mmCIF file of all heavy atoms in Angstrom:
data_model
loop_
_atom_site.group_PDB
_atom_site.id
_atom_site.type_symbol
_atom_site.label_atom_id
_atom_site.label_comp_id
_atom_site.label_asym_id
_atom_site.label_seq_id
_atom_site.Cartn_x
_atom_site.Cartn_y
_atom_site.Cartn_z
ATOM 1 N N THR B 323 255.556 112.618 52.669
ATOM 2 C CA THR B 323 256.747 112.090 52.021
ATOM 3 C C THR B 323 256.477 111.454 50.763
ATOM 4 O O THR B 323 257.300 110.660 50.154
ATOM 5 C CB THR B 323 257.589 111.110 52.967
ATOM 6 O OG1 THR B 323 256.707 110.056 53.321
ATOM 7 C CG2 THR B 323 258.058 111.811 54.223
ATOM 8 N N ASP B 324 255.297 111.787 50.262
ATOM 9 C CA ASP B 324 254.770 111.008 49.021
ATOM 10 C C ASP B 324 255.680 111.215 47.781
ATOM 11 O O ASP B 324 255.904 110.355 47.071
ATOM 12 C CB ASP B 324 253.358 111.504 48.698
ATOM 13 C CG ASP B 324 252.337 110.994 49.598
ATOM 14 O OD1 ASP B 324 252.797 110.219 50.613
ATOM 15 O OD2 ASP B 324 251.102 111.353 49.552
ATOM 16 N N GLY B 325 256.254 112.403 47.716
ATOM 17 C CA GLY B 325 257.057 112.629 46.524
ATOM 18 C C GLY B 325 258.529 112.223 46.574
ATOM 19 O O GLY B 325 259.284 112.479 45.632
ATOM 20 N N LEU B 326 258.923 111.685 47.763
ATOM 21 C CA LEU B 326 260.353 111.346 47.938
ATOM 22 C C LEU B 326 260.837 110.166 47.229
ATOM 23 O O LEU B 326 260.032 109.213 47.120
ATOM 24 C CB LEU B 326 260.647 111.299 49.470
ATOM 25 C CG LEU B 326 260.530 112.627 50.277
ATOM 26 C CD1 LEU B 326 260.962 112.307 51.682
ATOM 27 C CD2 LEU B 326 261.304 113.710 49.580
ATOM 28 N N SER B 327 262.005 110.208 46.726
ATOM 29 C CA SER B 327 262.642 108.950 46.097
ATOM 30 C C SER B 327 262.942 108.029 47.283
ATOM 31 O O SER B 327 263.047 108.386 48.410
ATOM 32 C CB SER B 327 263.886 109.384 45.406
ATOM 33 O OG SER B 327 264.877 109.838 46.309
ATOM 34 N N GLU B 328 263.387 106.875 46.856
ATOM 35 C CA GLU B 328 263.677 105.781 47.726
ATOM 36 C C GLU B 328 264.932 106.184 48.481
ATOM 37 O O GLU B 328 264.986 106.001 49.687
ATOM 38 C CB GLU B 328 263.933 104.516 46.951
ATOM 39 C CG GLU B 328 263.743 103.239 47.873
ATOM 40 C CD GLU B 328 263.921 101.945 47.039
ATOM 41 O OE1 GLU B 328 263.163 101.818 46.034
ATOM 42 O OE2 GLU B 328 264.749 101.082 47.322
ATOM 43 N N ASP B 329 265.975 106.827 47.837
ATOM 44 C CA ASP B 329 267.169 107.238 48.521
ATOM 45 C C ASP B 329 266.828 108.308 49.507
ATOM 46 O O ASP B 329 267.404 108.377 50.684
ATOM 47 C CB ASP B 329 268.156 107.853 47.407
ATOM 48 C CG ASP B 329 268.862 106.695 46.737
ATOM 49 O OD1 ASP B 329 268.697 105.526 47.090
ATOM 50 O OD2 ASP B 329 269.360 107.012 45.706
ATOM 51 N N ALA B 330 265.944 109.251 49.201
ATOM 52 C CA ALA B 330 265.609 110.280 50.136
ATOM 53 C C ALA B 330 264.943 109.770 51.327
ATOM 54 O O ALA B 330 265.045 110.227 52.497
ATOM 55 C CB ALA B 330 264.718 111.356 49.401
ATOM 56 N N LEU B 331 264.051 108.693 51.038
ATOM 57 C CA LEU B 331 263.341 108.100 52.203
ATOM 58 C C LEU B 331 264.405 107.361 53.084
ATOM 59 O O LEU B 331 264.224 107.445 54.305
ATOM 60 C CB LEU B 331 262.293 107.103 51.664
ATOM 61 C CG LEU B 331 261.007 107.663 51.051
ATOM 62 C CD1 LEU B 331 260.239 106.554 50.346
ATOM 63 C CD2 LEU B 331 260.191 108.381 52.058
ATOM 64 N N ALA B 332 265.283 106.738 52.571
ATOM 65 C CA ALA B 332 266.327 106.062 53.360
ATOM 66 C C ALA B 332 266.992 107.033 54.230
ATOM 67 O O ALA B 332 267.320 106.687 55.323
ATOM 68 C CB ALA B 332 267.286 105.312 52.430
ATOM 69 N N ASP B 333 267.245 108.148 53.746
ATOM 70 C CA ASP B 333 267.903 109.186 54.567
ATOM 71 C C ASP B 333 267.172 109.596 55.836
ATOM 72 O O ASP B 333 267.680 110.127 56.788
ATOM 73 C CB ASP B 333 268.245 110.348 53.750
ATOM 74 C CG ASP B 333 269.441 110.165 52.819
ATOM 75 O OD1 ASP B 333 270.221 109.308 53.110
ATOM 76 O OD2 ASP B 333 269.611 110.947 51.908
ATOM 77 N N LEU B 334 265.841 109.381 55.810
ATOM 78 C CA LEU B 334 265.029 109.738 56.967
ATOM 79 C C LEU B 334 265.021 108.635 57.942
ATOM 80 O O LEU B 334 264.774 108.941 59.259
ATOM 81 C CB LEU B 334 263.546 109.897 56.548
ATOM 82 C CG LEU B 334 263.263 110.989 55.474
ATOM 83 C CD1 LEU B 334 261.718 111.032 55.230
ATOM 84 C CD2 LEU B 334 263.636 112.351 56.045
#
Side-chain angles (χ1 to χ4, degrees):
Chain B
T323 58
D324 288 355
L326 293 186
S327 69
E328 203 174 305
D329 284 348
L331 287 170
D333 282 343
L334 299 178

